[in-house]
Amino acid sequence: MSLPSHFSPDPSHNLTAATLESPMDWGHWRLEQAAQHCTYDEGIAALKRLSGEYVPIRILQLYSVKGDPFDEDAHRYARECLKSENVAIRAFALVLLSADERSRRMDSSAPTVQEIGTEPAISMIHEQLDLVRGSSPKTDFALEVQAQMLYDLSVLYRELGKEGESMKAASEGIFLSVPLGYTNLTSSLRMSYALSAMGCGKSQEALQQYLEVRKEPGSNMRQRLFSTLNVVNLYLFSGDYPSALEVVLEAEHEYPERPEVGVTRQFVEGLAVLIPLDAEILPFAVQSRSALNKALQIVGHSEINPKVTLYNDALALLKDISESAAFFRILTRWLQVHCLFRTGKPFLAAQRLSGFDASYPILRAFVLALRIEMALHPDGLERDSLGEFTRELSRSFDEFPNKAAASRLLTLWYPTAAAFLAMSPYSVAELVDEAMPGIFADGRPAQIYGQSVPAKLPFVQATLEAFGVSADVPRDMSSERERMRAALTTSWGGSERTLPVIAPALLIVNFIRLSEREGGLWINAARQLERSHGLIPKTTGTHLREERGVLHDALERLVSGETDTRAFDRTLTELRNHGRGHV
C-alpha cells in the first residue's frame, strides 16, 4: 500500500462521528489508542458502531493501512463512498481502491511499473486532486484528502525514479497537513520527502526531515524507528561515523527487539572497520544487508591487517547482492571495484568505474580516492586526470560536517590517496593530521608515525614496491620486521591494525608529473616534500643496493630538473624488467 502506515486504533469512549470529520481529532484518536496495541480489525469494529457521512471512508482507510487485499466487506464500504455526494470522500475512496489494485499487482514476481499501473494511477490522482481542490465546501477533511493524495503521488513518482517530482508532491502535502494538526500524516510526508531526497543525493535535506520526524511527538513508533535508522545512515553518508554510532547505539537501547537496528549498527561499524574479524554477522530478513555487512567486515580487515587477504571472498559475496536502495546499491558497486583494484586488476576496476555516479559525500570521496590511487599505481591509469581528481577530492571536504571523522575514514581505506592530497597544493588541514604521519621521513634514524626506526631496508623496499619494482631479499628479515611491527601496530576498534607506510618519493614524482602539465604549485609541493622527508634511504648492506642506487639517481635527476618524468618512466621500466630477469 502506498498510504502511510499509522497507529492501529482501538475502541475509544470518546469516538464520535465528529471525530471522523476532523483530521486533528482523527489523528489524536489514533495516537491515543496506539499504546493499547490494538488491531486494525478492532478499530474497524469500533467505527462500525457509529453512523454518519464519514464512517465508510474511515473504515476503508483502516482496511487500506491494514495491508491485506480488500475483501467483500471493504468493497461494500468502498461502494458507499463512491456514491457519496461529498467529492473529497469519493476521491479518497478512488485513491484507496487504486492503491489496493496496485498492491495486488505487486505480489507478482518482479513487476514493472507498467504492470503495477504507476503512471495511470498518477494521472487518476491528479484528476481527483483537481476535483477536490475545486469542490465546495472547503473543509478540513478535504484538505486532509489532498495531503493524502499528495503522499500517494510522492510515492508513485519515486517508483518512476522521478525524485524531484516526488519531493515536490511531498513538500506541498507537508504544507497542507501542518496547519491541520494531523502530525502523523505530516511525519509520513516528511519521510517520503526525505527518502526521495536521499535517492538523489540531497543528504542534508533528507537529514533535516528525518530529524523533524524524530522530535515530533505525534510520530508513531515505526516512523521514529525508521527515521532514526535513516539519520544514522545519513550521518554515515556524510562521513560522520562517530555521530552515526552514537545514534544507532541509542536506538539499540530503545528498540532492543528490532533486528534492523543491530544490522544498521554493524553496517556503520563495517564501513569504519570496527567489526572484529571473528564477530558474527547478524542475520536479517533482507539477506543482502547481512551479506554486505560481511563483505565490509572482511574487506576492512584486509585493509588494516596485511596478514588478511579476503578480497576474493568479498567479491564472491558481492556478486549475489541485489539492492534496490540507491546508497546500498552504489556502495556495493564501489566495494566490488575496490576489491578488484586490491587484487591486482586495476584495468578491470577502471572499466567498472566508467559512468559511476556516487551521489553520497563519503562514497564520492572514496571513488575519487580510488581513482587517485589508480593514477599513482605503477601502471598509471587515468594519470592525465590526477590533478582534477585531487582538486575534486579537496572540494568534496566542503560537504563533510565532521572533517576529522571523514579524514579518518579516507585514510583508513585509501592511505596513499589521503597522503597525496594532504601534501598537495590543495591540502585539507584535517587530512594532514591523519595522513602525514604515515609518510616516512628519511633520517638518522628514519621517522614514521612519530617514532624512530633504525632499520632502513624496509623503507627502501616500500619505495621500490611503490614504483612496481620487486624488492624481495634472500635473507632473514625478522629483526627489521619486528622493529617495523613495533612502530606500525596499533589498536583499532578492538582489533589490531598495521598502519600503512607511504613512500615520499611516490608523491614527489607524481607532483612533478603534474607540474609538467599544470605549473609551479606542484613543483613547489614536490621540492618541499623532498626537503622535509627525503627521497629513498641509503643502506649499508648489499641487498637491493643496485635497485636503490638506480632509483635514487633517477629521482635526483628528476627533482633537480635535469630530466623529466618521461625519462624517469623509461628508467623505471628498465629497472622493473631487470628485476624480472628480462634482457
Side-chain angles (χ1 to χ4, degrees):
M1 288 291 173
S2 60
L3 200 75
S5 177
H6 305 318
F7 278 108
S8 300
D10 183 44
S12 173
H13 296 299
N14 62 353
L15 180 62
T16 66
T19 303
L20 307 186
E21 183 178 358
S22 165
M24 182 184 293
D25 292 344
W26 168 250
H28 286 169
W29 176 73
R30 299 190 68 190
L31 287 171
E32 288 167 2
Q33 307 311 308
Q36 299 181 28
H37 305 291
C38 298
T39 66
Y40 289 111
D41 288 333
E42 289 173 316
I44 290 168
L47 293 174
K48 286 181 178 180
R49 292 196 289 269
L50 300 176
S51 61
E53 181 182 14
Y54 294 93
V55 170
I57 192 61
R58 293 305 191 187
I59 290 175
L60 190 63
Q61 187 177 356
L62 290 191
Y63 269 122
S64 182
V65 295
K66 181 181 176 182
D68 297 332
F70 283 176
D71 57 17
E72 184 178 343
D73 192 55
H75 282 140
R76 179 167 68 86
Y77 286 101
R79 289 194 298 273
E80 288 189 42
C81 295
L82 294 174
K83 291 182 285 188
S84 172
E85 296 294 326
N86 188 314
V87 174
I89 289 176
R90 289 202 311 273
F92 198 8
L94 276 173
V95 171
L96 297 179
L97 287 164
S98 170
D100 177 63
E101 177 61 25
R102 285 184 291 105
S103 180
R104 292 171 190 269
R105 296 182 187 183
M106 285 181 186
D107 290 339
S108 63
S109 58
T112 65
V113 290
Q114 289 79 16
E115 291 168 336
I116 296 169
T118 302
E119 289 180 333
I122 288 174
S123 179
M124 182 273 291
I125 293 174
H126 272 299
E127 289 178 4
Q128 296 303 314
L129 186 57
D130 288 342
L131 288 173
V132 176
R133 284 170 173 163
S135 67
S136 294
K138 310 294 186 185
T139 64
D140 285 357
F141 178 79
L143 293 174
E144 177 197 340
V145 170
Q146 292 175 53
Q148 295 276 11
M149 287 193 284
L150 287 163
Y151 174 88
D152 261 44
L153 285 172
S154 178
V155 173
L156 293 168
Y157 277 123
R158 189 164 54 249
E159 286 180 10
L160 295 179
K162 297 181 177 180
E163 279 81 5
E165 291 295 318
S166 173
M167 292 166 66
K168 180 181 176 182
S171 181
E172 185 179 350
I174 292 168
F175 299 152
L176 283 174
S177 65
V178 167
L180 292 175
Y182 195 171
T183 55
N184 192 237
L185 175 57
T186 303
S187 291
S188 291
L189 285 156
R190 290 190 189 282
M191 291 181 69
S192 186
Y193 182 101
L195 191 57
S196 293
M198 286 174 66
C200 58
K202 296 182 177 180
S203 302
Q204 289 305 307
E205 287 189 49
L207 179 61
Q208 181 182 359
Q209 294 299 329
Y210 282 128
L211 290 173
E212 287 291 331
V213 174
R214 287 188 73 206
K215 71 182 184 183
E216 172 54 63
S219 298
N220 64 35
M221 186 276 288
R222 179 181 176 278
Q223 291 170 331
R224 289 196 304 273
L225 170 62
F226 286 100
S227 291
T228 297
L229 296 182
N230 279 319
V231 165
V232 171
N233 288 331
L234 286 163
Y235 278 138
L236 187 61
F237 299 170
S238 65
D240 190 359
Y241 73 90
S243 293
L245 274 175
E246 180 182 352
V247 174
V248 79
L249 290 172
E250 290 174 359
E252 213 165 19
H253 177 73
E254 187 175 356
Y255 307 103
E257 304 301 322
R258 299 300 297 243
E260 55 267 63
V261 181
V263 170
T264 301
R265 172 181 53 79
Q266 284 198 327
F267 174 62
V268 176
E269 293 173 335
L271 200 64
V273 197
L274 295 173
I275 308 176
L277 188 56
D278 58 356
E280 180 183 356
I281 297 298
L282 299 174
F284 192 51
V286 182
Q287 294 181 1
S288 61
R289 295 292 166 85
S290 296
L292 183 56
N293 285 352
K294 182 64 179 179
L296 284 169
Q297 177 192 37
I298 61 180
V299 174
H301 279 274
S302 300
E303 291 295 312
I304 68 172
N305 187 344
K307 296 178 182 178
V308 178
T309 52
L310 297 172
Y311 296 110
N312 286 322
D313 299 68
L315 283 170
L317 282 170
L318 293 166
K319 71 181 178 63
D320 295 325
I321 291 179
S322 176
E323 267 293 348
S324 58
F327 177 81
F328 296 104
R329 186 169 62 250
I330 294 170
L331 186 137
T332 299
R333 185 175 171 186
W334 157 72
L335 200 55
Q336 287 174 318
V337 175
H338 179 88
C339 291
L340 289 171
F341 180 61
R342 291 292 194 243
T343 51
K345 302 179 182 70
F347 292 100
L348 184 55
Q351 290 173 0
R352 296 284 181 89
L353 277 179
S354 178
F356 188 9
D357 179 21
S359 304
Y360 303 92
I362 195 62
L363 287 186
R364 189 156 47 245
F366 280 179
V367 170
L368 286 167
L370 175 54
R371 288 185 184 276
I372 289 172
E373 294 207 353
M374 285 181 175
L376 299 177
H377 188 272
D379 290 322
L381 300 177
E382 298 189 284
R383 273 183 182 167
D384 290 345
S385 302
L386 178 56
E388 184 54 36
F389 293 154
T390 306
R391 287 185 285 274
E392 284 186 37
L393 183 57
S394 178
R395 288 193 296 267
S396 76
F397 272 77
D398 293 338
E399 301 181 81
F400 296 134
N402 186 340
K403 291 180 173 59
S407 296
R408 284 194 292 275
L409 285 181
L410 193 70
T411 306
L412 191 64
W413 286 94
Y414 296 104
T416 305
F420 188 83
L421 174 58
M423 307 310 293
S424 79
Y426 303 95
S427 183
V428 176
E430 291 82 359
L431 197 59
V432 173
D433 296 339
E434 289 292 329
M436 192 172 73
I439 307 169
F440 74 78
D442 188 19
R444 297 183 179 180
Q447 298 280 328
I448 190 166
Y449 295 105
Q451 298 188 55
S452 299
V453 182
K456 294 290 189 77
L457 189 57
F459 297 109
V460 172
Q461 289 177 302
T463 305
L464 290 168
E465 289 168 352
F467 289 105
V469 179
S470 176
D472 294 333
V473 294
R475 75 163 176 83
D476 180 16
M477 291 281 293
S478 57
S479 175
E480 287 89 343
R481 279 196 294 269
E482 180 57 31
R483 289 171 179 170
M484 291 295 284
R485 192 197 70 78
L488 300 179
T489 303
T490 186
S491 61
W492 181 264
S495 299
E496 191 174 273
R497 178 188 178 192
T498 300
L499 296 167
V501 176
I502 309 299
L506 178 66
L507 311 184
I508 291 166
V509 167
N510 283 281
F511 288 164
I512 295 173
R513 195 185 305 280
L514 284 166
S515 76
E516 292 172 350
R517 291 195 298 271
E518 299 187 8
L521 284 175
W522 292 102
I523 193 65
N524 292 340
R527 289 170 178 164
Q528 181 176 326
L529 185 57
E530 189 268 338
R531 286 194 297 269
S532 62
H533 286 69
L535 293 171
I536 182 170
K538 183 176 181 179
T539 60
T540 56
T542 59
H543 295 294
L544 300 177
R545 177 180 291 178
E546 180 182 356
E547 293 88 345
R548 184 258 170 208
V550 171
L551 182 57
H552 179 266
D553 290 345
L555 287 167
E556 282 204 326
R557 290 197 301 273
L558 180 64
V559 172
S560 68
E562 182 181 338
T563 60
D564 59 16
T565 54
R566 287 187 296 274
F568 178 82
D569 290 340
R570 286 194 294 272
T571 301
L572 270 186
T573 300
E574 293 170 2
L575 191 56
R576 291 177 195 137
N577 289 340
H578 176 76
R580 295 170 185 145
H582 295 179
V583 179

